[in-house]
Amino acid sequence: MIERLGIGDTVSILGPTTDPPAVLAAADAGILSSKNETGPLVVLEYMASALPWIASDTGEIVRAVRDADVGFVVPPRDHLALADALERLVTMPGDERRAMGERGRDLVRTTFDQPLVTRKIEQVYELVLGMRRRAQIDLPSPGDPDGLIAPRPAIR
């Protein structure tokens, strides 16, 4: 199809690679046209590489950044929407494309950086463990202000 369309000088199919960062560094944009995804982490990789991107509206990461103006989100299985987004991306002035990519990189640094995500997960654990500890203390319940009803057993 690439030959038939005469776009071989601008489109390459690379196949497997042992150096994904080099491929991303050489790219102008990223595209993910999956019909199903849970992550998809590749969108974070595009943003960390300062690449504007197009992705199907699948997975939590795409949902989290859908309105951040760092890429284009299209409905899954909608090839016409994908083509429209691709046209918008390639006709966008280079400085706007680069600015979109930089916004994505900034978003990854401020929202998805591993130490930040790890700390947020730790905070959830601390909250849950704190609730568990409070449940183990014999505090009067709102329905029994005098503490006359036998306390419930501790959660284990």
Side-chain angles (χ1 to χ4, degrees):
M1 180 186 286
I2 291 171
E3 289 177 23
R4 183 171 46 82
L5 294 174
I7 56 175
D9 58 333
T10 57
V11 174
S12 300
I13 298 177
L14 301 178
T17 180
T18 57
D19 193 3
V23 172
L24 291 172
D28 295 313
I31 299 176
L32 177 72
S33 60
S34 301
K35 62 180 181 178
N36 296 322
E37 289 283 343
T38 55
L41 293 177
V42 71
V43 173
L44 290 179
E45 292 169 347
Y46 293 156
M47 291 192 303
S49 299
L51 291 176
W53 48 267
I54 302 167
S56 300
D57 195 3
T58 61
E60 294 307 312
I61 292 171
V62 175
R63 288 183 185 103
V65 300
R66 171 187 300 142
D67 298 321
D69 194 28
V70 294
F72 296 99
V73 179
V74 298
R77 299 179 177 162
D78 188 340
H79 64 281
L80 295 176
L82 182 67
D84 287 345
L86 185 56
E87 181 179 18
R88 288 173 55 202
L89 187 63
V90 299
T91 59
M92 180 184 286
D95 59 333
E96 287 181 32
R97 231 183 0 264
R98 284 186 292 281
M100 180 179 274
E102 286 301 323
R103 284 191 302 274
R105 179 180 279 169
D106 291 342
L107 183 62
V108 166
R109 287 180 182 148
T110 60
T111 305
F112 297 100
D113 185 63
Q114 189 60 53
L116 292 173
V117 171
T118 300
R119 183 64 193 134
K120 288 178 184 179
I121 292 169
E122 288 172 347
Q123 289 171 343
V124 169
Y125 277 103
E126 290 167 357
L127 175 67
V128 170
L129 291 172
M131 292 169 62
R132 179 178 174 187
R133 282 188 214 104
R134 283 193 300 278
Q136 291 173 336
I137 299 172
D138 284 342
L139 294 176
S141 68
D144 182 26
D146 297 321
L148 301 175
I149 300 173
R152 296 181 303 187
I155 300 170
R156 300 241 187 257

